[in-house]
Amino acid sequence: MTRRQSAIAVPLFSLVSNRGWGIGEFIDLAEFSRWLMEAGQSAVQLLPIHEMPPIETSPYSAMTAMALDPIYLSVPDVPDFNALGGEEALDDGERAEIARLRQSPRIEYAAVRRIKDRWLRRAFDRFLTMEVARGSPR
């Protein structure tokens, strides 16, 4: 006899946590999955998570089916962001913006994308300068 299974379909953007920057992030899936297992669920199905154009908010309007959207990255978990000083390196305005985004009742895609893009680019520049240029194993 086959055991019955059930699953939950969820848009990743809706898994907003207190540690995220105003949108559900890949890292939030771990906690959500644990909660689902405790509830007797077998799997999680995500709405599309492909890269959206900067002005788009629909996960069904992806630019490509080949790239995950960096808006779902957890910037504090990026090693090169931490090498730049992590959240301590944010200026007061950026900290206030992240706090505001965390409290917003709606996902503010443009604002989330703007601040994440700024810091992911800085982290990548640091990676190029400190790791690639020096022949680091990374």
Side-chain angles (χ1 to χ4, degrees), residues 1-7 37 39-43:
M1 178 173 242
T2 304
R3 183 178 157 257
R4 290 183 62 140
Q5 296 182 342
S6 60
M37 281 182 47
Q41 301 299 309
S42 304

Side-chain angles (χ1 to χ4, degrees), residues 13-49:
F13 63 78
S14 70
L15 299 180
V16 180
S17 68
N18 292 332
R19 67 182 300 277
W21 286 17
I23 193 167
E25 299 172 343
F26 293 120
I27 198 155
D28 297 320
L29 284 169
E31 185 176 339
F32 185 67
S33 296
R34 281 191 293 277
W35 179 79
L36 286 179
M37 281 182 47
E38 291 173 10
Q41 301 299 309
S42 304
V44 176
Q45 180 180 0
L46 295 176
L47 265 60
I49 53 176

Side-chain angles (χ1 to χ4, degrees), residues 6-113:
S6 60
I8 298 289
V10 65
L12 181 56
F13 63 78
S14 70
L15 299 180
V16 180
S17 68
N18 292 332
R19 67 182 300 277
W21 286 17
I23 193 167
E25 299 172 343
F26 293 120
I27 198 155
D28 297 320
L29 284 169
E31 185 176 339
F32 185 67
S33 296
R34 281 191 293 277
W35 179 79
L36 286 179
M37 281 182 47
E38 291 173 10
Q41 301 299 309
S42 304
V44 176
Q45 180 180 0
L46 295 176
L47 265 60
I49 53 176
H50 301 104
E51 189 168 9
M52 295 178 284
I55 61 168
E56 189 57 62
T57 60
S58 171
Y60 296 102
S61 296
M63 293 189 304
T64 176
M66 303 301 163
L68 300 178
D69 199 324
I71 199 169
Y72 300 120
L73 290 175
S74 174
V75 177
D77 291 327
V78 173
D80 292 285
F81 172 72
N82 287 309
L84 292 170
E87 291 195 5
E88 294 298 315
L90 301 172
D91 65 32
D92 291 341
E94 291 167 327
R95 281 193 204 93
E97 177 71 350
I98 290 169
R100 186 185 71 72
L101 291 169
R102 285 176 175 153
Q103 297 301 314
S104 178
R106 299 181 59 105
I107 305 297
E108 296 185 35
Y109 286 90
V112 171
R113 192 171 298 282

